[in-house]
Amino acid sequence: MTETTREDDLLAALPTLSRVFRLGEVHGREFLAHGLMNRNWRLETSAGTYAVKEITDVPLAKVRRNLAVLADLAHEGIPVPEPLRADGGEFVAEVGGHGYCVLPWVDGEHVQGSDLTLDQARDLGAVLARLHEGLRRHGPGPVPQQAPTAKVRDVAVADRAAATLLGRLPAGPVTDFDKAATEALQDRRGLLARHAGAQPEGDVPAGPYGWTHGDFQYRNLVRQHGRVVAVLDWDRLGIRTYGEEVARTAQVQFGVGGVFDLDRIAAFCAGYRSVIALSEGELADAVERLWWKRLTDFWQLQFYLDRQDAAFGEMFLTDEALLNWWTDRADEVQAAYAAR
């Protein structure tokens, strides 16, 4: 979809959105091209400045459920923006076959993990833990007594997926990316063969669980003067083990340039564990499962081939470098996560 088509969709919807969300007269708009999934705009109106999201990647009923949580979290002092309600009290308005939500615009910056100080990394861990505590009280529903499961992908299934993707790439690589992706997939098949015996046991991760954000990382965190002032993008709110979200956040936040910033991972985990107690064993289980998931998954390359979006191709190659670095230094990575 071209940017012109995106603008046409919004222009057609704007009169209705302005009316049902009581935005007033629109003075300016800007398409935010850096979003990976949904489509987002910044609107300047007579009533204020807002972020408008066209929801493309999540069922609308789930988005409505998730947005309903934010008001309670905000009232507890957790840094989340309160979504606007449309006429009738709904958080999502459907216009022209598309769903839209509107939130107040929060000025600030998105800071990648390696640019945080150690104190900021430690504070980020504490912010995530306080968010988990808030979701214990204000999650969208009760937490089941049975622990959540996380499917562990079989080596043979992963190898077949790699072979299928190789078949979708040109037989004679015609671009630098095609060549790099082909080599990466061939190397991955070798990694899978060498580490087939390291598959985690069972589908039930260790440790406490509850409602979690699902994508807590720098692209969804707004900072002002070094502090987190807004946690964005609640599309993936769900029940998971806390260790799973801690492990994933640290990987996305502090896995930069194909390597882990182990000092900042240690500070982040120490900050989290100062609020919510996770044992070394529970964290080790989460890290092992995350490593295995990365070893057996190819979602970035699949998105690149399906959507022809270069951003996903770059993510695949960067994460591939990190996976190899991680695999070679597994003990060092586990030690960083276990730090207090």
Side-chain angles (χ1 to χ4, degrees):
M1 179 173 288
T2 66
E3 289 192 22
T4 300
T5 306
R6 294 181 177 117
E7 284 297 297
D8 288 346
D9 288 343
L10 180 68
L11 284 172
L14 263 182
T16 302
L17 294 176
S18 297
R19 175 175 54 80
V20 300
F21 284 107
R22 296 173 294 283
L23 302 180
E25 183 180 357
V26 177
H27 300 308
R29 67 184 186 276
E30 177 188 2
F31 176 68
L32 306 177
H34 53 270
L36 290 176
M37 300 296 184
N38 299 298
R39 295 197 285 273
N40 303 279
W41 291 266
R42 182 180 187 270
L43 286 189
E44 295 181 6
T45 80
S46 57
T49 305
Y50 300 98
V52 176
K53 174 188 287 188
E54 180 190 337
I55 302 153
T56 62
D57 201 47
V58 183
L60 298 187
K62 185 175 181 181
V63 175
R64 291 187 175 98
R65 180 204 71 175
N66 294 353
L67 291 176
V69 170
L70 299 191
D72 287 334
L73 293 178
H75 294 161
E76 282 205 4
I78 293 172
V80 296
E82 290 193 52
L84 275 65
R85 291 182 183 270
D87 290 344
E90 290 282 358
F91 290 112
V92 175
E94 296 183 56
V95 184
H98 302 278
Y100 297 87
C101 62
V102 180
L103 299 97
W105 181 266
V106 181
D107 283 320
E109 56 183 350
H110 304 282
V111 182
Q112 201 160 357
S114 57
D115 294 325
L116 300 181
T117 67
L118 291 177
D119 284 343
Q120 288 171 334
R122 188 175 294 107
D123 180 66
L124 182 63
V127 169
L128 178 58
R130 289 194 292 271
L131 184 61
H132 286 168
E133 287 188 325
L135 287 169
R136 283 179 185 170
R137 296 183 288 274
H138 303 296
V143 175
Q145 292 185 346
Q146 185 174 1
T149 59
K151 183 66 177 176
V152 176
R153 199 176 197 185
D154 184 75
V155 169
V157 173
D159 186 67
R160 287 197 296 271
T164 299
L165 289 169
L166 276 170
R168 294 181 63 184
L169 290 167
V174 293
T175 68
D176 289 342
F177 176 82
D178 293 335
K179 184 175 185 296
T182 298
E183 291 175 354
L185 284 172
Q186 291 168 341
D187 290 345
R188 180 84 74 91
R189 297 184 78 182
L191 273 182
L192 284 166
R194 289 195 296 276
H195 296 279
Q199 179 171 328
E201 294 185 9
D203 293 336
V204 180
Y209 60 91
W211 290 100
T212 61
H213 179 272
D215 198 16
F216 189 88
Q217 44 101 351
Y218 70 95
R219 296 181 185 90
N220 295 326
L221 301 174
V222 180
R223 289 180 174 270
Q224 293 176 359
H225 309 296
R227 295 178 56 251
V228 175
V229 294
V231 181
L232 310 177
D233 192 357
W234 288 79
D235 291 351
R236 284 159 184 78
L237 178 67
I239 294 173
R240 303 171 183 87
T241 60
Y242 295 146
E244 177 181 338
E245 180 141 89
V246 170
R248 180 186 184 274
T249 296
Q251 181 243 305
V252 177
Q253 189 78 17
F254 304 111
V256 180
V259 302
F260 271 136
D261 188 323
L262 297 178
D263 289 340
R264 282 165 176 76
I265 285 181
F268 169 79
C269 291
Y272 184 92
R273 296 170 79 192
S274 72
V275 179
I276 293 179
L278 284 181
S279 71
E280 289 186 16
E282 290 162 351
L283 268 175
D285 179 75
V287 175
E288 180 185 12
R289 289 176 183 275
L290 180 62
W291 168 77
W292 185 261
K293 183 176 182 179
R294 297 294 183 251
L295 180 66
T296 58
D297 189 34
F298 309 90
W299 73 269
Q300 301 100 323
L301 184 57
Q302 289 169 330
F303 271 46
Y304 167 79
L305 292 170
D306 292 343
R307 305 183 183 191
Q308 291 301 301
D309 187 330
F312 292 106
E314 293 171 8
M315 287 176 65
F316 171 71
L317 294 180
T318 299
D319 286 355
E320 201 67 20
L322 180 65
L323 174 63
N324 283 278
W325 189 95
W326 184 355
T327 302
D328 291 341
R329 297 165 179 82
D331 290 344
E332 295 174 47
V333 173
Q334 285 287 15
Y337 274 94
R340 287 190 178 275

